Amino acid sequence: MLSGQNHTNQSDYRGRRRKSAYFAVVVGLLCFALFGGFRTEAAAARFCVNYSANPQLEELKRFDELILSPYARIDVHSLIRAAQRPYAYLSVVEIADDARYRGQVAKLGIKTIGKNTTWGSSIADLLDPKWTDFVVNTLAADAVAKGFRGFFLDTADSVALAEQHNPNLRAEYRQALINLIKTLRRTYPERTIILNRGFPMLADLAGTIDGVLVESLYRKYDFATKSYVAESAQGTQWLLDVLGKVRAAGLEVYVVDYVSPTDSRVAFQTAARIASHGFHPFISTVELDGKYLNLPPTNAPLPPSAKEVPRRVFGIFGNHQDEFRVNFAMDSGIAHFLQMPLE
């Protein structure tokens, strides 16, 4: 009698264990089918630009790549441990009026050749070798020491302002900037380099940079009217043509568009349009202080460019279930617990 009870209990136990395992598989498949089966192109949080002095670590964790101020009060190594890639902002032509290192530049005797009147920043003399040395061995070196995994090179297009100062040295200024970026690559070969535009120099920088960032592909901030507006159709098409060549050259393309924080629908639709080209979108406000607007608005319909991606669910059933034989797939548990709910 004890032996018979033991056999029955073991049989019941094995049956419960089989049912539990079977139920776990079914639940897992259902979760995959229902929650992993569809995504929009704009759903993934790829990168962000956040120049705030005190970025919130929890907010940064949603991104894979981050462009940050090198002076941000944050533990960069904690981002590295979370498998994220933080990049330090570096200005390669302009010296901001409030730059922390402005005093160092003056002390080193680095020459400047005019101003960017829009921002009030000074234009470094690219022909002064002390400028290249300062960018590579001071600014970049400090960022690397803090743990940054790469650099975002801003103000490259401001080489045109240097050329305006002395048009006869146009080619020399441009070559000096190219040499600066190549020196940066040689000095830090393992670091990622993303360039803000710099289109006329891209052919000369083949194999030197990893990506290109542009602003205002579809939406921009109008400083004259202090409002968020759409980019012109001509401006969008011109930039798309250029970025197509950038992608064809094997470079990653990052796009920052500006949308009012109250217009979540436009922000989400803009991100989807950018992603449809294979670019990495970041939608924010002009302050670039961490506002992430790519998220879909509550109860908003998907934008026309967002695509649903169907998933195929493959279910396997056995021909024995407890004490009876299953002869047809429609009689199996997989049909009752998985096929019927999905259909």
Side-chain angles (χ1 to χ4, degrees):
M1 186 173 178
L2 290 175
S3 178
Q5 271 190 329
N6 186 53
H7 174 76
T8 301
N9 290 339
Q10 288 179 350
S11 177
D12 290 345
Y13 171 73
R14 285 194 298 270
R16 288 195 301 270
R17 185 171 61 180
R18 284 197 302 270
K19 289 178 181 178
S20 298
Y22 182 77
F23 181 73
V25 171
V26 169
V27 170
L29 288 170
L30 278 171
C31 288
F32 171 78
L34 296 177
F35 301 106
F38 303 96
R39 63 176 294 181
T40 65
E41 293 175 339
R46 170 74 172 170
F47 90 108
C48 80
V49 181
N50 188 334
Y51 294 146
S52 60
N54 296 287
Q56 298 301 306
L57 183 61
E58 290 304 314
E59 286 296 312
L60 297 180
K61 285 182 178 179
R62 71 173 72 185
F63 303 100
D64 299 322
E65 299 174 278
L66 314 112
I67 296 174
L68 306 172
S69 165
Y71 307 110
R73 288 187 282 274
I74 193 169
D75 180 8
V76 175
H77 293 285
S78 67
L79 298 173
I80 303 299
R81 289 191 294 272
Q84 295 168 289
R85 295 187 60 80
Y87 308 137
Y89 173 96
L90 293 182
S91 178
V92 291
V93 175
E94 297 185 24
I95 304 165
D97 190 51
D98 60 351
R100 293 192 182 192
Y101 53 83
R102 195 173 183 86
Q104 291 176 267
V105 169
K107 187 175 181 180
L108 290 169
I110 296 173
K111 300 174 185 177
T112 60
I113 51 171
K115 304 277 285 186
N116 180 334
T117 56
T118 301
W119 299 105
S121 52
S122 301
I123 307 301
D125 184 353
L126 295 166
L127 300 182
D128 187 344
K130 293 192 294 293
W131 173 246
T132 293
D133 179 72
F134 181 70
V135 171
V136 174
N137 297 313
T138 298
L139 299 183
D142 289 348
V144 169
K146 292 176 181 178
F148 283 95
R149 288 296 182 259
F151 316 105
F152 168 61
L153 308 184
D154 196 19
T155 71
D157 280 351
S158 295
V159 68
L161 297 178
E163 295 165 2
Q164 290 175 14
H165 175 76
N166 194 338
N168 294 329
L169 295 175
R170 178 181 181 278
E172 287 82 352
Y173 283 135
R174 199 164 293 262
Q175 189 59 51
L177 181 54
I178 291 170
N179 291 342
L180 185 158
I181 298 171
K182 288 186 174 181
T183 301
L184 193 66
R185 166 59 72 201
R186 287 194 302 269
T187 308
Y188 309 102
E190 302 302 319
R191 306 291 164 170
T192 298
I193 297 178
I194 299 172
L195 184 65
N196 189 354
R197 296 175 72 97
F199 301 141
M201 298 176 289
L202 293 185
D204 295 305
L205 291 172
T208 300
I209 62 174
D210 302 286
V212 170
L213 182 145
V214 300
E215 299 170 272
S216 306
L217 177 59
Y218 288 108
R219 307 289 302 186
K220 65 182 179 179
Y221 184 76
D222 187 327
F223 286 91
T225 62
K226 293 182 169 48
S227 61
Y228 294 93
V229 298
E231 179 58 81
S232 68
Q234 295 87 345
T236 293
Q237 190 56 56
W238 178 85
L239 192 50
L240 282 174
D241 292 342
V242 174
L243 294 179
K245 297 175 183 176
V246 173
R247 284 280 289 167
L251 297 173
E252 295 293 325
V253 175
Y254 303 83
V255 178
V256 178
D257 269 21
Y258 301 107
V259 174
S260 169
T262 62
D263 206 344
S264 58
R265 187 182 304 276
V266 170
F268 182 60
Q269 291 174 343
T270 301
R273 294 179 75 185
I274 294 170
S276 70
H277 301 291
F279 308 152
H280 308 304
F282 179 67
I283 313 301
S284 190
T285 57
V286 71
E287 295 83 9
L288 290 175
D289 57 0
K291 294 184 181 68
Y292 174 62
L293 307 179
N294 297 39
L295 296 173
T298 305
N299 298 324
L302 293 175
S305 58
K307 295 187 291 188
E308 291 185 342
V309 181
R311 298 285 195 259
R312 295 174 182 267
V313 179
F314 179 61
I316 301 175
F317 74 96
N319 64 352
H320 285 86
Q321 185 169 309
D322 291 338
E323 301 302 322
F324 64 93
R325 184 181 183 87
V326 179
N327 295 314
F328 303 99
M330 68 179 65
D331 296 326
S332 67
I334 200 79
H336 289 286
F337 296 111
L338 183 61
Q339 180 181 350
M340 291 175 64
L342 285 178
E343 292 182 349

